[in-house]
Amino acid sequence: ASTGDFGKGRKLMPVETGKKAIDFLLEHSGSRHNLELDFFGGEPLMNWDAVKEIIAYARSKEQEYNKCFRFTVTTNGMLLNDENIDFINREMKNVVLSLDGRKCVNDAMRLTVNGKGSYDIFVPKFQKLVEKRRGGKFTEYYVRGTFTKNNLDFAQDVYHIADDLGFDQLSVEPVIADESEPYALTEADLPKIYEEYEKLAVEMIRRKKEEGGCFNFFHFMIDLEGGPCVAKRLSGCGSGTEHLAVTPWGDLYPCHQFVGNEDFLMGNVFEGLKRTDIRDSFKSCNVYSKEKCRECFARFYCSGGCAANSYNFHGDIHNTYDIGCALQKKRVECAIMIKAAEAEI
């Protein structure tokens, strides 16, 4: 997000703002017992002392409010060390590790401040974190990458992360960018992306049949029998209603992708929620409010897609991001194909 400034300039969140965000969440979460809090950037490890103090504050409030906090951190790994790895594995229910794939792919997009590649710096740190995490209190993690026009052969990046680096929880997702960007995906790229998804699905089936196991690929994980509750199937992530982003200066937005757009400024943790009309607009945003979703077979698996992407490409959260829709349908098809193959194993 604009190298971490989200259109508003870089700033580290003061501890008091973080504590006030905890208070806001406690006061507005009603009878809900489990509360999720994600540390996201920029790079949260640049403000590590604040992260630890905010977590300690949240923990101190759990019994009083009958709540259970579940923490997640997303990190590029540059500042990982033994101390914060141990803390993350002790306190973070989930951790998201940013790695785009093969060294040449990653280093084309993720450069250090001196213009050099970052792959060789953080990959060993990721491996140490995951190795320590296995068998511990919390085991969930994802290595999360992004594919662009420059690596449409992204199945090779998935294989590299799994086979060469030893990670088994993977998510490699399409870049979302204006078509003017040289790395942006366009409709012309769809056939190649479809081919790559199918190639990946076939390989995963082969591994399950011949080797008895495989890595998990986030976008192919689907539950055809149970799955999310009805509310999640209808409205997805709950941005603007069940989910809010808090900026370092305490402003509230429906999610991090709206930060900096004053039309979506909902309030501030110090002053409270001011724009209930924004909340109500997001509350009404679901697969039945989106014309393109009404007859789509995948609507209850993507829940209408990302509201921010819809707004950024169409100026309306009740629309859909067309390339995203096309890719989601292909991923659901591949997920069903894997499920069908698993039934025969």
Side-chain angles (χ1 to χ4, degrees):
S2 303
T3 67
D5 68 15
F6 290 86
K8 296 276 286 187
R10 291 185 177 188
K11 179 178 173 61
L12 297 180
M13 176 179 283
V15 170
E16 289 309 313
T17 302
K19 289 182 177 179
K20 198 65 179 177
I22 297 295
D23 293 339
F24 180 92
L25 182 55
L26 290 169
E27 292 164 7
H28 292 84
S29 54
S31 61
R32 180 160 301 189
H33 178 65
N34 293 316
L35 305 180
E36 304 275 349
L37 193 147
D38 299 343
F39 293 96
F40 187 84
E43 174 49 50
L45 271 61
M46 292 179 68
N47 202 16
W48 187 240
D49 287 341
V51 170
K52 292 191 293 183
E53 194 166 341
I54 292 167
I55 288 177
Y57 181 75
R59 293 281 187 228
S60 73
K61 297 290 185 177
E62 285 181 315
Q63 187 171 357
E64 176 186 352
Y65 285 85
N66 189 31
K67 304 293 186 181
C68 175
F69 278 96
R70 297 174 176 174
F71 299 104
T72 298
V73 63
T74 298
T75 178
N76 62 27
M78 295 294 287
L79 297 178
L80 282 174
N81 56 41
D82 289 338
E83 183 270 331
N84 54 39
I85 285 175
D86 289 342
F87 184 92
I88 286 169
N89 287 345
R90 185 172 64 251
E91 294 288 349
M92 305 292 185
K93 185 175 186 294
N94 193 13
V95 57
V96 181
L97 309 171
S98 300
L99 166 64
D100 287 339
R102 293 159 289 178
K103 180 176 178 178
C104 60
V105 170
N106 181 88
D107 287 355
M109 297 296 287
R110 295 183 181 273
L111 298 173
T112 61
V113 291
N114 62 8
K116 296 182 179 180
S118 57
Y119 178 99
D120 289 335
I121 299 174
F122 65 70
V123 164
K125 298 179 180 183
F126 284 171
Q127 291 172 320
K128 177 182 284 190
L129 183 149
V130 170
E131 183 59 33
K132 285 189 170 186
R133 196 167 181 84
R134 291 188 173 120
K137 178 181 178 182
F138 299 121
T139 59
E140 294 179 34
Y141 77 92
Y142 271 99
V143 173
R144 197 273 194 204
T146 302
F147 70 84
T148 72
K149 185 184 289 288
N150 299 327
N151 64 311
L152 293 177
D153 61 342
F154 59 88
Q156 298 304 315
D157 294 296
V158 174
Y159 303 149
H160 172 70
I161 295 171
D163 299 336
D164 299 333
L165 302 184
F167 300 114
D168 57 8
Q169 305 298 321
L170 315 180
S171 177
V172 178
E173 307 188 17
V175 69
I176 309 297
D178 188 273
E179 290 190 1
S180 63
E181 297 287 353
Y183 56 82
L185 302 175
T186 65
E187 288 190 12
D189 298 317
L190 289 177
K192 173 59 179 171
I193 298 173
Y194 292 165
E195 177 185 331
E196 209 68 7
Y197 277 137
E198 290 175 3
K199 181 192 304 182
L200 183 56
V202 169
E203 174 61 15
M204 291 179 70
I205 292 170
R206 184 198 69 77
R207 294 186 184 207
K208 289 173 184 283
K209 286 184 176 180
E210 298 179 8
E211 302 173 16
C214 188
F215 52 83
N216 283 327
F217 184 69
F218 178 78
H219 283 300
F220 290 170
M221 295 174 67
I222 190 170
D223 188 337
L224 298 176
E225 297 176 354
C229 63
V230 172
K232 287 294 184 185
R233 288 184 181 273
L234 289 173
S235 57
C237 71
S239 58
T241 54
E242 295 182 317
H243 173 88
L244 293 176
V246 184
T247 69
W249 41 95
D251 287 343
L252 296 167
Y253 289 88
C255 85
H256 70 276
Q257 294 195 70
F258 288 102
V259 170
N261 186 332
E262 299 303 304
D263 291 338
F264 291 92
L265 176 57
M266 300 176 69
N268 189 282
V269 294
F270 296 99
E271 301 168 0
L273 192 67
K274 302 295 185 183
R275 294 286 306 276
T276 57
D277 59 313
I278 297 176
R279 179 199 62 196
D280 293 343
S281 178
F282 277 83
K283 188 176 181 179
S284 68
C285 186
N286 57 60
V287 295
Y288 291 114
S289 73
K290 301 182 178 187
E291 184 175 352
K292 294 176 183 176
C293 295
R294 291 172 187 168
E295 302 300 324
C296 176
F297 81 92
R299 64 188 180 278
F300 295 121
Y301 292 103
C302 79
S303 307
C306 172
N309 291 343
S310 173
Y311 181 81
N312 289 335
F313 283 86
H314 296 291
D316 181 7
I317 65 172
H318 295 274
N319 207 312
T320 58
Y321 169 49
D322 299 305
I323 291 178
C325 285
L327 296 182
Q328 179 64 28
K329 285 186 278 190
K330 172 54 67 175
R331 291 193 293 255
V332 171
E333 290 174 1
C334 290
I336 293 172
M337 179 174 74
I338 292 172
K339 282 289 186 184
E342 288 176 342
E344 297 178 347
I345 296 176

